[in-house]
Amino acid sequence: AQTVTQSQPEMSVQEAETVTLSCTYDTSESDYYLFWYKQPPSRQMILVIRQEAYKQQNATENRFSVNFQKAAKSFSLKISDSQLGDAAMYFCAYRSSNTGNQFYFGTGTSLTVIP
Amino acid sequence: NAGVTQTPKFQVLKTGQSMTLQCAQDMNHNSMYWYRQDPGMGLRLIYYSASEGTTDKGEVPNGYNVSRLNKREFSLRLESAAPSQTSVYFCASRAPSSYEQYFGPGTRLTVT
């Protein structure tokens, strides 16, 4: 089984500032997908951003961007101009492109946004 | 489109009771999943179904059974509930060749 590690159980950021959430993973595969999901207090899981391992360019979605370091097996999420609505649990996830039905999730980072 | 729906939203069981969690999706997705979410543990895969008529074990299948009734529906059954099964359960689905899983709203289950 793949291992996804989020070493920051909790993070906080001032409104309008930038925060980076860390994620590392363990795999012997070369082709895979990585994801960041957001879970607000409503419990609904929402896809924030995804990255294909074969792409060198880091993915960006509006205020959300990733720093994908394939050799280091690192996949961090940067949130710019943080907003109160960004407060949530954030989960990093991995999916193999070969045995692609299983997703592996990290333990999550709880993000607090301070007004 | 309702997306992925789950019933019930909340449930309290006594140890040894049985129950079935229901999940349905209206997006014509082939793959469906059941996860449990525990504090500090993230989401762990219980079972998944790549297509109608097939099911496979995930990381934590013990104590659970599943049925892929048809393409839309994927149910999770607890035959004899235990306090260790107290958790939030999520169903998800995914289209073929799609990156994204779509999640249901979750079921909070408490076993006393």
Side-chain angles (χ1 to χ4, degrees):
Chain A
Q2 315 302 335
T3 303
V4 178
T5 302
Q6 294 178 249
S7 58
Q8 306 154 315
E10 296 177 349
M11 292 281 287
S12 61
V13 62
Q14 293 279 354
E15 196 175 2
E17 296 295 309
T18 296
V19 65
T20 298
L21 308 184
S22 300
C23 173
T24 59
Y25 56 94
D26 183 24
T27 186
S28 58
E29 298 174 330
S30 60
D31 200 11
Y32 47 88
Y33 306 100
L34 296 164
F35 308 84
W36 278 99
Y37 280 87
K38 171 184 178 181
Q39 187 181 43
S42 67
R43 268 198 338 233
Q44 185 68 46
M45 293 287 286
I46 303 162
L47 180 66
V48 174
I49 198 166
R50 71 165 189 265
Q51 174 80 43
E52 294 91 332
Y54 63 85
K55 290 187 177 178
Q56 292 188 335
Q57 187 172 4
N58 289 325
T60 299
E61 288 286 344
N62 301 316
R63 297 183 295 107
F64 298 88
S65 61
V66 298
N67 183 5
F68 173 48
Q69 303 287 331
K70 191 172 184 179
K73 298 178 184 174
S74 170
F75 182 60
S76 59
L77 174 69
K78 185 171 84 170
I79 306 174
S80 303
D81 186 25
S82 297
Q83 300 175 359
L84 296 177
D86 294 334
M89 282 290 287
Y90 286 82
F91 292 96
C92 178
Y94 170 103
R95 176 169 81 86
S96 167
S97 65
N98 296 322
T99 56
N101 263 312
Q102 292 208 38
F103 287 70
Y104 298 90
F105 286 80
T107 52
T109 296
S110 177
L111 179 66
T112 299
V113 180
I114 303 165
Chain B
N1 273 356
V4 180
T5 58
Q6 292 182 234
T7 55
K9 285 189 166 48
F10 300 93
Q11 183 71 50
V12 179
L13 291 179
K14 293 190 189 309
T15 298
Q17 287 185 318
S18 62
M19 80 159 296
T20 300
L21 306 184
Q22 306 286 356
C23 173
Q25 51 92 9
D26 61 1
M27 297 174 282
N28 203 34
H29 289 171
N30 285 352
S31 298
M32 297 186 73
Y33 306 80
W34 276 106
Y35 293 91
R36 60 178 288 172
Q37 183 179 23
D38 303 297
M41 299 291 289
L43 276 78
R44 292 182 293 168
L45 183 64
I46 304 171
Y47 272 94
Y48 65 97
S49 170
S51 61
E52 184 179 351
T54 68
T55 61
D56 287 286
K57 294 178 181 179
E59 293 179 75
V60 288
N62 291 345
Y64 305 95
N65 287 303
V66 290
S67 296
R68 183 74 183 266
L69 304 169
N70 48 54
K71 194 169 187 179
R72 287 189 65 247
E73 298 171 290
F74 187 39
S75 62
L76 178 72
R77 183 159 178 85
L78 288 70
E79 290 291 351
S80 179
S84 61
Q85 294 178 304
T86 294
S87 189
V88 179
Y89 291 86
F90 286 96
C91 178
S93 70
R94 183 174 69 87
S97 302
S98 169
Y99 305 108
E100 185 174 356
Q101 286 184 108
Y102 293 83
F103 284 84
T107 295
R108 182 176 293 279
L109 175 67
T110 302
V111 183
T112 61

